[in-house]
Amino acid sequence: MKKYACLLLFAIMLNGCDDGDLTPEIIDFEGLNPESCDIKTNELIYKLKPQEALILQLEENTLDDVVGEKTINITDEGLTQLVYRTFDGVISRANICDAIRPSSPNIIRDSKAKSGTITITTTPDTSEPEPDGSTSIKGFNHVIYMSNISYEIVGGVQVDPKSFPFGSLKTTTYTSPTVTLNAKAVMCNPTKIYNYNADRSMIIDALDDSLIQNSETLEPRRSTITATQNKIVFNTYNTTNIPAGYFCETPRPATPEINETWTALPTGTIEVVTTKNGAQYIHVVTIKDVELSNSSGLKFKLPKTFLFGEITTQ
C-alpha cells in the first residue's frame, strides 16, 4: 500500500510545476475495463488509453468478500485517491504498476480528484450449474461507480464534477466450500442426525420423526425442508480432529470452534429408503434440491441428489 501511495505522490510532485497555460481536460474512459496491479490486494486499479491513465488507489482489502454496498469519500488527506494522468507517448501496465517505472514515456500532467464519492457494490460470482446440478462460488464482482468527482489540474484549472461508472472488477481469492461426508451417518435421537468428515459436518435437526422407522420401505419416505423442520446446517471447523459425541452434546461444547456456518434454504426434500439386514435396519438418507446460504448472503447448491449417509438401527 505504501509503495503505491509513494508512487502516486512522487508523480504528482514531479509535475507540480506547469507552464501555466492550461485548459480543462476531457476525462472519458467509458467502455474500458479496469484492471488491477495486484489481484490479491487490489490496492491499485487502473484504466488505460494510449497516452492516458485513470488510476484508483484503494486501501488494502477494500474489495473484500462482503456482499453489499459500501461508499468511500475522496478527500485530500485520504488513502483512497483517484488520479488522471497523461503521458507524452504510448503507455502500458508497467507505467502504472512497476515499482521502477520505464524511463519513457514521461508524465505530462497529473490531475488528482479533490472530492467525490466512490460506491462499490459487491456480489458473488457463482458458477453455472454442473451436470449434477451443483454450483460453487468462484469469487466476487465489484461494480465501482464514481459520483460528483471534481478534479483539479496542476496549476489550478478546475474540471466540472462528473459522475460515471468506473467499471467492474472480479476477485477470485475466495475458496468455495466443499461438502464431503462419510458413508455412515449417526443418529443422536429420532429428530437429530449428523455426518462429518475431518473438519466439516452436516447436521439435520428437527428431523421429521416419520422418516426413520424400523420398517422396510416400498417407496422412499419424503419430507419437505422448512424453516422449522428438517433444518440442515453445514459447518466447517478449526480442527481436523472432532471428538466423538461432539454433535450430540447439549449444550454444544465450545471447542472445536466453528469457522463458518451454512444453512439450507427452506426448499428441497429429504428422502429415506429403509431395508432390513438380519436384525438391523439400514436407512439411506438422501437430500434433494438443497441450496446452502451463509450470514454474508453467499449461496451455493449441492448436487440435486446428495447422499447424506446410511444410518443403522436395531
Side-chain angles (χ1 to χ4, degrees), residues 15 19 46 58 65 68 71 87-88 96 103 120 153 175 182 184 198 210 233 238 258 292:
N15 294 275
D19 58 11
Y46 62 91
L58 298 172
D65 299 347
T71 58
F87 298 79
D88 63 3
I96 308 301
S103 57
I120 301 174
I153 306 297
T175 301
N182 289 319
K184 301 291 186 179
S210 70
V233 176
N238 65 350
I258 295 174
L292 298 174

Side-chain angles (χ1 to χ4, degrees), residues 3-236:
K3 175 184 72 175
Y4 292 138
C6 290
L7 285 175
L8 287 178
L9 180 60
F10 182 62
I12 293 171
M13 291 175 63
L14 283 177
N15 294 275
C17 297
D18 202 271
D19 58 11
D21 183 19
L22 299 177
T23 57
E25 301 283 356
I26 298 175
I27 302 175
D28 183 7
F29 286 77
E30 187 175 352
L32 297 177
N33 293 321
E35 297 185 50
S36 179
C37 287
D38 186 334
I39 61 174
K40 291 183 178 180
T41 63
N42 297 295
E43 293 175 64
L44 203 62
I45 303 169
Y46 62 91
K47 300 174 79 170
L48 297 184
K49 296 172 91 171
Q51 294 181 229
E52 301 170 72
L54 188 60
I55 307 166
L56 174 62
Q57 178 182 293
L58 298 172
E59 293 190 60
E60 187 175 357
N61 298 320
T62 296
L63 300 188
D64 54 24
D65 299 347
V66 179
V67 175
E69 183 178 285
K70 67 178 67 173
T71 58
I72 305 167
N73 293 322
I74 296 176
T75 63
D76 280 340
E77 297 79 19
L79 293 176
T80 298
Q81 297 292 337
L82 181 68
V83 174
Y84 169 65
R85 184 173 294 167
T86 62
F87 298 79
D88 63 3
V90 176
I91 58 173
S92 66
R93 180 184 187 277
N95 297 95
I96 308 301
C97 299
D98 286 6
I100 302 176
R101 297 196 311 271
S103 57
S104 64
N106 296 310
I107 297 173
I108 298 175
R109 183 176 298 157
D110 267 359
S111 305
K112 180 181 175 182
K114 307 295 287 183
S115 61
T117 302
I118 302 172
T119 302
I120 301 174
T121 303
T122 300
T123 56
D125 181 18
T126 305
S127 70
E128 293 295 322
E130 297 292 334
D132 63 4
S134 64
T135 61
S136 61
I137 303 163
K138 300 189 297 181
F140 295 85
N141 295 314
H142 308 276
V143 178
I144 305 171
Y145 191 83
M146 305 291 180
S147 300
N148 299 315
I149 301 297
S150 178
Y151 302 91
E152 187 172 50
I153 306 297
V154 174
V157 176
Q158 184 75 34
V159 178
D160 292 337
K162 300 292 183 184
S163 297
F164 56 92
F166 186 80
S168 178
L169 195 72
K170 292 181 182 289
T171 56
T172 57
T173 56
Y174 184 82
T175 301
S176 189
T178 302
V179 182
T180 55
L181 301 174
N182 289 319
K184 301 291 186 179
V186 182
M187 174 183 282
C188 289
N189 55 59
T191 61
K192 183 176 183 179
I193 59 177
Y194 68 91
N195 197 340
Y196 71 105
N197 184 11
D199 61 347
R200 58 206 62 209
S201 72
M202 183 174 284
I203 302 167
I204 304 179
D205 212 346
L207 180 71
D208 184 342
D209 59 11
S210 70
L211 287 173
I212 297 180
Q213 302 287 333
N214 282 348
S215 60
E216 294 187 280
T217 52
L218 297 176
E219 295 289 337
R221 302 185 187 98
R222 296 184 178 88
S223 184
T224 302
I225 298 167
T226 70
T228 57
Q229 183 174 260
N230 302 321
K231 297 184 291 185
I232 298 176
V233 176
F234 173 70
N235 290 326
T236 61

